[in-house]
C-alpha cells in the first residue's frame, strides 16, 4: 500500500439506503443522487458507478468540473444536472454534452439561449426560483423578463425543471420559513403556467425536506446526505423515530476510513509527547504512531480528544495531531503491533467511531467533515 490510509465504501449499505429513500416517495418520483463535494467525500469516480449499479439514473452536481468527472466515470447513460457554477466557457460544453443546468439569472438565461442557437442543440434548463433562501434564484420581479425570454427562445431552450432550495429543512426552527418558501414556489409556478410556461419537472426537496415535508416531493427529490447513510440532523432522526418507534436506524454508513500502526514507542512516565506540552505521560506508556494527520482531514481539534479502533478496542489520541501523523495510546492493548489495522471512522469488531461523534468533537458538521476527506486517499468498494 502506497498510501498511509484508505477508505472503504460499502455497496450493500448504499443499496439499503437507496431502498429506504425510494420508500419515502411515491413510485413516480425520481431520485436524483447529489454528488457534489466529491460525493460528500466518498469519491465521485468510485461512488457514481456504484450508485448506477444500485439503480440511480439521475445525478446532481454543483459545478462543471464535477460534471466532467462524473461523465468520465459513468458506466451507462445518465442525466446530469449542474445546480451551481458553470463558467461561460463551459456552458457550450455543457449544452453539447446534453448536461442539464440551473439558470438563476437573466445573464445565464441569455447565454444559454445564444449557445444553444449557435450549436443547434437545445439547452435543457432548470429555472431556479428565489423563495426565501436568498442565495440564487429568480425573484418574482424577474419573472416577466424570464417569460419573454423563454417565449422568444422557445426553439432553443427546453424548460426541463422548475426548482428551489429550502433554507434549513433539517431544523424545526425553520418550519415557518420552509412553509413560506413552499407557498411562494407554488404561487410563482402558477404565474408561469398562466403564461403558458410549463416545466417538465418540479423539484424542491433535499433529504430533510423529503423526510419532513411530503408536499415538497413533486416530480423529483435531490438526495445527498441520506444516501451516504447520515441523517441531515439529529432532529430529523428523532422525528423519524417518533413516527416509527419500533424501527432500528434504517440508514447504514458507507464509509470506513482505515490506516495502520506505523511504529510503536515506549514512553517513560513524566515525558511529554509530541509538539509542546499538551500531553505528559501519567505512567509508563506504549504509544502507536498512526500516519494520518490534519493534512489528511484528521482535524487538529481532535488532539488529546479523538479515538480510534485497534484490535476491536477504543484507543485515545494523545498529544497534538500533526500534519501527517498522530500518537495513539495502546498501553492497554498489549497485542498491538506494527502494521495492525487502525480504524479512524467506521466499525471494527463491536465498536464504531461515528462521523457524528468525530464531527462533534472536531466542531464540524457531518457534511463538512465528509467533504474534507482529501481526494487523494484511495477509495475501495466493498460489499
Ligand atoms: C446539497 C443540495 C441538496 C442535497 O442536500 P442533502 O441535505 O444532502 O440531501 C439538494 N439540493 C441542493 C440545491 C443542494 O445544494
Amino acid at each position: 500500500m502506497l498510501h498511509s490510509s484508505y477508505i472503504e465504501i460499502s455497496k450493500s449499505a448504499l443499496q439499503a439506503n437507496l431502498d429506504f429513500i425510494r420508500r419515502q416517495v411515491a413510485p413516480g418520483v425520481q431520485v436524483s443522487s447529489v454528488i457534489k463535494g466529491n460525493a460528500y467525500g466518498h469519491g465521485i469516480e468510485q461512488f457514481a458507478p456504484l450508485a448506477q449499479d444500485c439503480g440511480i439514473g439521475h445525478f446532481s452536481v454543483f459545478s462543471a468540473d464535477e460534471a466532467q468527472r462524473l461523465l468520465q466515470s459513468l458506466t451507462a447513460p445518465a442525466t446530469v444536472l449542474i445546480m451551481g457554477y458553470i463558467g461561460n466557457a463551459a456552458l457550450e460544453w455543457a449544452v453539447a454534452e446534453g448536461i442539464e443546468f440551473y439558470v438563476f439569472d437573466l445573464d445565464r438565461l441569455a447565454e444559454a439561449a445564444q449557445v444553444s442557437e449557435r450549436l443547434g442543440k437545445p439547452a435543457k434548463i432548470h429555472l431556479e426560483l428565489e423563495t426565501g433562501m436568498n442565495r440564487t434564484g429568480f425573484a418574482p420581479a424577474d419573472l416577466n423578463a424570464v417569460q419573454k425570454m423563454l417565449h422568444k427562445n422557445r426553439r432553443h431552450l427546453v424548460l426541463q425543471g422548475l426548482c428551489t432550495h429550502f433554507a434549513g429543512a433539517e431544523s424545526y426552527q425553520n418550519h415557518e420559513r420552509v412553509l413560506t418558501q413552499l407557498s411562494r414556489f407554488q404561487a410563482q409556478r402558477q404565474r408561469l403556467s398562466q403564461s403558458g410556461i410549463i416545466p417538465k419537472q418540479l423539484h424542491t426537496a433535499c433529504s430533510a425536506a423529503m423526510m419532513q415535508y411530503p408536499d415538497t416531493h413533486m416530480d423529483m427529490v435531490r438526495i445527498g446526505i441520506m444516501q451516504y447513510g447520515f441523517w441531515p440532523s439529529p432532529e430529523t432522526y428523532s422525528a423519524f423515530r417518533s413516527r416509527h418507534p419500533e424501527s432500528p436506524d434504517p440508514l447504514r454508513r458507507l464509509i470506513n476510513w482505515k490506516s495502520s500502526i506505523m511504529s510503536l514507542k515506549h514512553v517513560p512516565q513524566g515525558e511529554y509527547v509530541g509538539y509542546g506540552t499538551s500531553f505528559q505521560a501519567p505512567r509508563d506508556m506504549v504509544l502507536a504512531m498512526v500516519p494520518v494527520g490534519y493534512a489528511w482531514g484528521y482535524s487538529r481539534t481532535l488532539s488529546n480528544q479523538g479515538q480510534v479502533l485497534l484490535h476491536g478496542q477504543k484507543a485515545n489520541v494523545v498529544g497534538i495531531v500533526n500534519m501527517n501523523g498522530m500518537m495513539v495510546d495502546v498501553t492497554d492493548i498489549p497485542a498491538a503491533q506494527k502494521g495492525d489495522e487502525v480504524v479512524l471512522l467506521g466499525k471494527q469488531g463491536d465498536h464504531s467511531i461515528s462521523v457524528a461523534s468525530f464531527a462533534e468533537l472536531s466542531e464540524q458538521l457531518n457534511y463538512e467533515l465528509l467533504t474534507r476527506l482529501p481526494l487523494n486517499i484511495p477509495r475501495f468498494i466493498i460489499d
Side-chain angles (χ1 to χ4, degrees):
M1 168 74 81
L2 282 173
H3 291 82
S4 66
S5 74
Y6 63 97
I7 288 170
E8 291 172 346
I9 315 264
S10 162
K11 181 176 180 188
S12 56
L14 174 61
Q15 186 74 66
N17 297 339
L18 290 173
D19 290 348
F20 174 75
I21 288 162
R22 287 207 187 87
R23 287 197 298 275
Q24 308 311 303
V25 297
V29 177
Q30 184 160 39
V31 175
S32 180
S33 169
V34 178
I35 57 162
K36 65 191 184 191
N38 196 28
Y40 292 48
H42 292 64
I44 288 180
E45 287 75 9
Q46 294 77 15
F47 182 82
L50 198 62
Q52 286 193 292
D53 279 355
C54 297
I56 289 291
H58 193 294
F59 292 96
S60 297
V61 298
F62 175 73
S63 53
D65 70 302
E66 292 174 336
Q68 186 179 41
R69 286 173 56 200
L70 173 61
L71 284 188
Q72 284 162 359
S73 344
L74 290 176
T75 51
T79 306
V80 178
L81 172 58
I82 299 177
M83 304 185 293
Y85 182 77
I86 320 174
N88 276 352
L91 206 58
E92 191 160 313
W93 166 80
V95 174
E97 292 283 349
I99 294 171
E100 303 182 6
F101 52 92
Y102 276 32
V103 171
F104 36 74
D105 58 33
L106 292 168
D107 287 348
R108 171 79 70 93
L109 191 56
E111 190 68 28
Q114 276 166 26
V115 166
S116 96
E117 189 172 0
R118 205 158 59 229
L119 294 180
K121 184 166 180 179
K124 297 181 188 166
I125 62 168
H126 294 245
L127 285 185
E128 187 186 12
L129 299 181
E130 177 56 70
T131 56
M133 172 115 176
N134 292 308
R135 189 172 66 178
T136 45
F138 288 105
D142 301 325
L143 288 191
N144 282 341
V146 170
Q147 282 163 18
K148 277 201 200 108
M149 225 54 136
L150 286 178
H151 281 305
K152 198 171 118 215
N153 292 287
R154 258 190 312 274
R155 288 183 303 119
H156 311 303
L157 299 174
V158 172
L159 185 55
Q160 184 63 34
L162 190 69
C163 53
T164 195
H165 187 54
F166 297 111
E170 70 284 350
S171 167
Y172 192 76
Q173 202 184 329
N174 302 319
H175 184 66
E176 286 305 317
R177 188 165 170 205
V178 168
L179 294 182
T180 303
Q181 284 192 265
L182 187 56
S183 71
R184 286 179 182 163
F185 181 80
Q186 294 295 14
Q188 294 178 50
R189 177 191 65 78
Q190 246 172 2
R191 220 179 110 190
L192 287 169
S193 91
Q194 275 156 8
S195 69
I197 291 172
I198 315 281
K200 293 191 178 170
Q201 291 180 305
L202 304 174
H203 54 99
T204 63
C206 57
S207 297
M210 173 185 75
M211 294 308 294
Q212 301 298 89
Y213 304 94
D215 287 351
T216 64
H217 294 182
M218 303 181 200
D219 302 309
M220 180 166 84
V221 292
R222 305 182 305 257
I223 302 302
I225 197 83
M226 281 180 70
Q227 61 181 336
Y228 306 106
F230 302 95
W231 292 89
S233 66
E235 250 178 274
T236 41
Y237 181 48
S238 48
F240 173 79
R241 288 311 298 267
S242 63
R243 293 195 299 271
H244 305 274
E246 307 301 313
S247 167
D249 187 344
L251 297 180
R252 287 175 48 195
R253 276 34 106 199
L254 271 57
I255 274 193
N256 285 312
W257 183 18
K258 295 180 174 175
S259 181
S260 57
I261 296 180
M262 182 168 114
S263 64
L264 288 165
K265 178 165 295 283
H266 291 267
V267 177
Q269 179 184 6
E271 286 284 307
Y272 292 107
V273 174
Y275 290 119
T277 54
S278 76
F279 187 84
Q280 187 176 26
R283 55 174 173 159
D284 289 350
M285 298 180 85
V286 184
L287 302 183
M289 167 78 174
V290 178
V292 176
Y294 57 80
W296 298 100
Y298 200 93
S299 172
R300 241 178 128 259
T301 49
L302 293 165
S303 299
N304 287 309
Q305 292 209 67
Q307 291 192 312
V308 301
L309 299 176
L310 244 168
H311 287 265
Q313 281 176 256
K314 288 195 172 172
N316 294 317
V317 173
V318 298
I320 304 291
V321 172
N322 299 179
M323 182 184 293
N324 294 301
M326 61 176 137
M327 300 303 276
V328 167
D329 180 7
V330 295
T331 315
D332 298 325
I333 310 177
Q337 280 190 26
K338 206 164 144 170
D340 287 351
E341 179 186 271
V342 176
V343 171
L344 308 171
L345 268 181
K347 264 192 259 179
Q348 191 189 54
D350 298 332
H351 289 291
S352 74
I353 305 288
S354 72
V355 170
S357 63
F358 187 124
E360 217 163 274
L361 281 175
S362 57
E363 294 171 29
Q364 302 176 84
L365 295 175
N366 280 348
Y367 294 78
E368 184 179 354
L369 182 151
L370 290 167
T371 53
R372 282 190 183 179
L373 291 171
L375 283 172
N376 54 355
I377 299 178
R379 275 109 168 133
F380 301 105
I381 311 298
I382 58 167
D383 179 51

